[in-house]
Each structure stands twice: as structure tokens, then as C-alpha cells.
């Protein structure tokens, strides 16, 4: 417990059931651990990752490369999710009946931001079978200390920007982010870079920007850049940001 680094040997068959976690460790028991490497273990649910936060509340670096975390959008599905209806619901009770006429199928669900991980600075989610920016990656938007986010080797085809009244009134998403890696993902359109500019990168003054301090974006080996040189890809990316 006194060690500040815990390394799990790669390819170990580690798959912790979050429901049984209380029998293994108490909440906050490993509060001295700052860095945890669980790369290439057999973790198959983000519920396990959420449990790690409860017993290691002071984690600053967490590496989960090559784990299957595709349920990031659904692992806590029993909890309420945010929608445009929730954000737009009138405070004046006299207007309440009007909301009944809004069809649910016209509302794009916006998953609630992930809670916990208050000290986390670096999160490596390389090759974790993540495919949705809105449903999965956007859930990381309120981690207060997150400065480095690694998303390499995930099948993310597009980046979307969804604005809500709640978001406009709250702090900027990814407010502390300084470095992002999107190498070898499946981005197919430059419109995703435009959306990334609005969702994460420095505010242009329009009120729709994100972090004001990002310094580095690694964006290589994506379909959108396959037909141009590395130098041209770099220039176009910088121009769009």
C-alpha cells in the first residue's frame, strides 16, 4: 500500500467484478497509490474502472490500454441520463404541460459526465474498443484535473459537438486538457476536426470553445489524411484548429 506505483504484468487475467469489490478492499484503502498500469489485462467493463477510483481516490495516472471498455456509455445505465428535455424543462410549472408534447424520439440522449477521478491527470484508453465520441468519450468531459488523454487505436469515426443549456451554464468541457492523442483512429472527415475545435480546443471567442490551455494534439494514421502527405496533413490540421 505504501508504494506509489502499481504495475500489473501485461496479459494477466485480471477481471474484477465491481459488485464484489467490497469483499476485496475498503473504500479509499489504497489512497497512497498515484499511478496504476492495467494495460492488456482482461478487464471487460468500465464498472471495474469506476471501482478502482473508489479504493484509489488519489490516482493521478491510469493506463488501461488494450482492455475492452466498450460499455463506457452503458455500464451505469440504471442511473439517470441527461437529455435535451431534461436541460430544457421549464421552471415555471404553468409551462409543464407543454413538455408532454415533445416526442422522446426527437431528443438526442446525452450521457451524464463521469463522476469521481478527482485527481486523475493522465488517462490512457488506447485500443479500448471505444467508437462513440458523444456516447463514450464525452463522459470524461468533467474530470477536473485531466490534462492528458490518449485515445489511440480506437474505432472512432467521427467527433460530434452537442450543445445543451446545461453545458452552456456549466464549466467548459475538458477544462484542464493539455494533450490529446488520436493516432490510428477512424476519423474520415475534416468536419470532425472542426467539431473537436469547438468541443475541446481553445475558445475562439464565440463562446463555444473548450479548454484554453491545450498544447499538443497527435493526429496521425487516420483515413481523412490517407491521401495527403504528412506535412500537408499537419498544416491542414493546424489551420482547422
Amino acid at each position: 500500500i505504501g508504494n506509489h506505483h502499481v504495475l500489473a504484468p501485461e496479459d494477466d487475467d485480471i477481471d474484477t467484478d465491481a459488485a464484489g469489490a467490497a469483499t476485496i478492499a475498503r473504500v479509499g484503502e489504497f489512497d497512497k497509490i498515484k499511478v496504476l498500469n492495467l494495460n492488456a489485462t482482461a478487464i471487460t467493463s468500465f464498472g471495474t474502472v469506476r471501482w478502482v477510483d473508489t479504493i484509489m481516490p488519489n490516482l493521478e495516472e491510469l493506463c488501461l490500454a488494450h482492455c475492452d471498455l466498450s460499455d463506457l456509455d452503458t455500464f451505469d445505465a440504471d442511473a439517470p441520463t441527461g437529455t435535451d428535455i431534461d436541460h430544457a424543462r421549464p421552471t415555471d410549472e404553468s409551462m409543464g404541460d407543454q413538455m408532454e408534447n415533445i416526442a422522446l424520439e426527437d431528443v438526442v440522449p446525452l450521457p451524464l459526465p463521469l463522476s469521481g477521478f478527482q485527481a486523475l491527470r493522465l488517462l490512457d484508453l488506447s485500443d479500448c474498443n471505444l467508437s462513440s465520441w458523444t456516447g463514450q468519450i464525452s463522459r470524461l468531459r468533467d474530470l477536473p484535473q485531466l490534462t492528458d488523454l490518449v485515445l489511440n487505436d480506437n474505432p472512432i469515426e467521427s467527433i460530434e459537438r452537442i450543445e445543451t443549456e446545461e453545458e452552456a451554464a456549466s464549466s467548459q468541457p475538458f477544462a484542464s486538457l493539455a494533450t490529446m492523442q488520436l493516432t490510428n483512429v477512424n476519423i474520415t472527415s475534416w468536419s470532425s476536426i472542426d467539431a473537436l475545435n469547438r468541443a475541446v480546443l481553445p475558445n475562439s471567442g464565440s463562446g463555444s470553445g473548450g479548454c484554453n490551455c491545450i498544447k499538443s494534439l497527435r493526429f496521425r494514421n487516420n483515413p481523412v489524411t490517407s491521401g495527403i502527405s504528412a506535412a500537408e496533413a499537419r498544416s491542414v490540421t493546424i489551420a482547422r484548429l
Side-chain angles (χ1 to χ4, degrees), residues 90-99:
T91 55
D92 185 347
E93 293 183 1
S94 66
M95 297 179 62
D97 292 339
Q98 298 179 22
M99 299 303 297

Side-chain angles (χ1 to χ4, degrees), residues 167-191:
E167 185 175 330
S170 65
S171 60
Q172 293 177 331
F174 299 99
S176 298
L177 198 63
T179 300
M180 175 178 282
Q181 296 187 32
L182 286 168
T183 294
N184 199 35
V185 294
N186 291 337
I187 300 296
T188 59
S189 171
W190 287 111
S191 62

Side-chain angles (χ1 to χ4, degrees), residues 165-237:
E165 290 184 9
E166 177 193 58
E167 185 175 330
S170 65
S171 60
Q172 293 177 331
F174 299 99
S176 298
L177 198 63
T179 300
M180 175 178 282
Q181 296 187 32
L182 286 168
T183 294
N184 199 35
V185 294
N186 291 337
I187 300 296
T188 59
S189 171
W190 287 111
S191 62
S192 289
I193 298 301
D194 297 337
L196 180 66
N197 185 39
R198 296 191 298 272
V200 178
L201 298 179
N203 196 329
S204 63
S206 62
S208 61
C211 165
N212 289 315
C213 56
I214 195 160
K215 298 177 177 65
S216 174
L217 171 67
R218 178 163 291 186
F219 185 73
R220 300 175 58 189
N221 299 337
N222 287 288
V224 70
T225 61
S226 61
I228 58 179
S229 68
E232 184 177 357
R234 183 175 185 273
S235 298
V236 172
T237 302

Side-chain angles (χ1 to χ4, degrees), residues 16 18 21 28 30 33 36 38 43 46-59 62 64 117:
T16 304
F30 297 93
I33 294 177
L36 181 63
L38 293 173
I43 293 173
F46 204 88
T48 300
V49 181
R50 186 65 186 85
W51 165 73
V52 167
D53 175 62
T54 65
I55 64 169
M56 302 178 185
N58 296 317
L59 269 184
L62 178 58
L64 297 161
F117 299 99

Side-chain angles (χ1 to χ4, degrees), residues 8-39:
E10 293 194 356
D11 300 320
D12 274 11
D13 188 20
I14 297 176
D15 190 3
T16 304
D17 185 342
T23 65
I24 301 173
R26 297 186 300 272
V27 172
E29 183 171 3
F30 297 93
D31 60 346
K32 293 182 174 61
I33 294 177
K34 304 295 185 182
V35 177
L36 181 63
N37 188 328
L38 293 173
N39 288 345

